[in-house]
Amino acid sequence: MSADREIVDNNEREYAFTQQDFECIKKLIYQHAGISLSSSKQNMVYSRLARRVRANGLRSFKDYLSFLEKGNAEEWEAFTNALTTNLTAFFREQHHFPIFEKHLEQRKNQKKIQLWCSASSTGEEPYSMAMAVTNAFKSMTPPVHILATDLDTNVLAKAQLGIYPLDRLEKIPKEKLRQFFLKGKGHHAGLARVRPELRNMVTFRQLNLLDEVWPIRGPFDAIFCRNVMIYFDKQTQYKILKKFVPLLAPDGLLFAGHSESFQHASDLFRLREKTVYELVHK
Ligand SMILES: C[S@@+](CC[C@H](N)C(=O)[O-])C[C@H]1O[C@@H](n2cnc3c(N)ncnc32)[C@H](O)[C@@H]1O
């Protein structure tokens, strides 16, 4: 029997998981985080949430969902954290960084530069932005602030620590590694921590892109919103893009993920190059 078949077969699952349970989870995570789950995600949902059923000492998904619907705030957080996908990497979508650095260089005369990384996951993206910033400014303490937000509190805690296994840093050239990271010794061997100058450039905060009100203030010179819109339907994407408009500086840039297109929001944003967008001025 294939591993896949093993999980699919309800008889072999530790907890009963019905179509109705899946539909209920799908509705809850859509309402709460905007995440659209297709039916191909059933096994993923089972394996991620079975841990929560177990952790709460419950006997079925039905019991878990009743517990969740009573509104336990801690469990809502764990439920959300379990259903987000946090895949990321340093200098992901490498082609964005020269464009980003050039954009920063053109703004060197500005007193203060504000940047927003709106789905920062475990921190690799905002720290890559910070490395690009120091490169553009030729300074470890440039007049730049990066706000990094995510919905998932687990990834934010990791990002805040700024400690990574060395194999996550393989794509970073040696001289950059020395410039931006401190290698762990003794029982920290195999790990590296981002240098304080880089860490100090970034503020991490929880923010749900689905919330009606975002407690943040622009204007941002660039917004990174990469590989998160793919989890949202077009209607949700449009709502978010509309809220980016007043937060982006008039000549600011919006960076999207490689498989994301904002063509359906062509009244708001125009493609400048390779998944980099600029505002449409009316
Ligand atoms: C696949 S990761 C992408 C990380 C990074 N931007 C990159 O491109 O490497 C998607 C991130 O979006 C976050 N996310 C999902 N739904 C969200 C929402 N409604 N508001 C804010 N962040 C959300 C997840 O927690 C996850 O960390």
Side-chain angles (χ1 to χ4, degrees):
M1 189 186 286
S2 75
D4 201 28
R5 170 98 180 79
E6 236 169 80
I7 310 167
V8 171
D9 195 334
N10 228 344
N11 294 328
E12 294 181 29
R13 281 176 169 160
E14 187 181 354
Y15 305 106
F17 180 53
T18 63
Q19 186 65 31
Q20 203 181 343
D21 295 332
F22 178 70
E23 293 304 329
C24 179
I25 291 163
K26 196 172 145 165
K27 190 180 89 196
L28 292 176
I29 197 65
Y30 178 75
Q31 286 170 345
H32 182 63
I35 297 172
S36 293
L37 291 172
S38 69
S39 46
S40 66
K41 295 288 192 296
Q42 295 208 12
N43 289 332
M44 180 204 88
V45 167
Y46 176 84
S47 64
R48 290 187 184 183
L49 289 181
R51 275 176 256 153
R52 297 309 314 154
V53 179
R54 199 173 305 122
N56 285 292
L58 298 167
R59 289 170 55 183
S60 68
F61 269 69
K62 193 161 175 265
D63 290 350
Y64 176 68
L65 287 166
S66 323
F67 173 60
L68 194 66
E69 284 183 297
K70 280 188 193 130
N72 179 305
E74 247 175 67
E75 195 49 43
W76 264 101
E77 188 174 318
F79 170 78
T80 312
N81 289 352
L83 291 178
T84 58
T85 297
N86 311 113
L87 183 82
T88 187
F90 283 101
F91 295 103
R92 190 177 188 188
E93 329 259 348
Q94 210 153 7
H95 66 274
H96 278 164
F97 289 90
I99 302 170
F100 178 53
E101 281 187 31
K102 197 170 148 213
H103 181 60
L104 293 167
E105 275 160 17
Q106 286 164 348
R107 308 170 93 79
K108 266 186 170 167
N109 294 335
Q110 250 176 244
K111 245 197 192 151
K112 181 100 193 125
I113 292 187
Q114 283 213 96
L115 308 167
W116 181 20
C117 174
S118 66
S120 61
S121 189
T122 37
E124 287 86 337
E125 183 169 281
Y127 291 131
S128 301
M129 290 167 71
M131 287 185 249
V133 165
T134 58
N135 208 30
F137 279 82
K138 311 272 176 282
S139 158
M140 287 293 277
T141 51
V144 178
H145 177 249
I146 302 172
L147 173 67
T149 61
D150 200 284
L151 169 63
D152 183 332
T153 50
N154 284 340
V155 292
L156 283 169
K158 286 187 187 155
Q160 243 150 351
L161 280 179
I163 298 175
Y164 299 92
L166 289 177
D167 60 5
R168 301 278 304 155
L169 311 177
E170 268 165 4
K171 277 198 185 152
I172 304 177
K174 281 228 164 63
E175 82 280 357
K176 269 203 177 135
L177 260 185
R178 263 195 302 275
Q179 188 185 356
F180 297 118
F181 290 86
L182 298 163
K183 268 195 186 176
K185 292 190 184 123
H187 61 274
H188 296 299
L191 299 172
R193 182 197 280 270
V194 292
R195 282 192 185 268
E197 294 91 331
L198 222 57
R199 175 66 195 80
N200 292 341
M201 216 187 296
V202 190
T203 304
F204 290 96
R205 269 210 259 151
Q206 190 193 22
L207 185 140
N208 185 350
L209 288 169
L210 209 70
D211 281 351
E212 282 306 316
V213 180
W214 295 341
I216 54 175
R217 222 182 308 146
F220 293 101
D221 298 285
I223 299 177
F224 275 55
C225 183
R226 309 193 306 169
N227 305 301
V228 61
M229 290 291 210
I230 34 163
Y231 300 102
F232 306 149
D233 59 22
K234 294 272 182 247
Q235 199 187 339
T236 308
Q237 290 185 11
Y238 189 85
K239 266 195 186 166
I240 294 170
L241 289 168
K242 203 162 181 184
K243 289 175 71 177
F244 281 159
V245 171
L247 287 172
L248 194 61
D251 55 347
L253 293 180
L254 172 65
F255 292 81
H258 59 282
S259 58
E260 293 163 330
S261 157
F262 302 148
Q263 242 173 9
H264 58 291
S266 59
D267 57 325
L268 308 175
F269 287 96
R270 172 188 316 120
L271 184 67
R272 180 193 268 201
E273 53 183 312
K274 292 185 192 159
T275 58
V276 181
Y277 288 81
E278 61 191 4
L279 285 167
V280 169
H281 294 286
K282 290 166 197 157

